Amino acid sequence: SIDEDNSSEAAIVKEAVAAYQRQQWNKAIQIIAPVTSEKQDNYDLQELLAHAYFRVGQYEKAAEIFQTLVTPNIPPYAERCQWYLTLALLASD
């Protein structure tokens, strides 16, 4: 049902954010990546995943996700992610 999907997604978000806050970026990636590959319209999870990739030095993956958040110009994601996209592109060179 829809409610079950929303509550399981909320639990995943909570677990991923907790891992990120504990600086367990690889764990956050493991939690978020499968969800975002299926559900690409959750921009909060996409942004968190990009930041986690950035933190572990996977700048190309981070840049790819930041680019998808900047391109459609979805406020506030486009504004926030533009700077990180630039940093990730510079770091990946």
Side-chain angles (χ1 to χ4, degrees):
S1 89
I2 293 172
D3 290 338
E4 288 176 12
D5 288 346
N6 287 340
S7 86
S8 80
E9 188 174 321
I12 290 168
V13 170
K14 186 176 181 179
E15 185 181 358
V17 168
Y20 187 90
Q21 289 174 336
R22 289 190 305 267
Q23 299 181 359
Q24 296 173 329
W25 297 298
N26 284 314
K27 182 175 181 180
I29 291 167
Q30 290 172 346
I31 295 167
I32 302 167
V35 176
T36 57
S37 68
E38 292 177 13
K39 194 165 183 149
Q40 297 182 0
D41 63 340
N42 188 323
Y43 302 123
D44 290 322
L45 277 182
Q46 291 281 350
E47 186 178 10
L48 188 63
L49 180 60
H51 283 290
Y53 277 130
F54 189 89
R55 293 290 194 148
V56 297
Q58 293 187 35
Y59 302 115
E60 282 126 16
K61 286 185 178 182
E64 184 180 312
I65 297 168
F66 285 132
Q67 183 67 53
T68 64
L69 294 169
V70 167
T71 302
N73 199 21
I74 303 166
Y77 303 98
E79 294 86 6
R80 286 199 309 247
C81 293
Q82 182 62 54
W83 173 246
Y84 288 101
L85 171 60
T86 302
L87 291 176
L89 290 172
L90 288 170
S92 67
D93 284 340

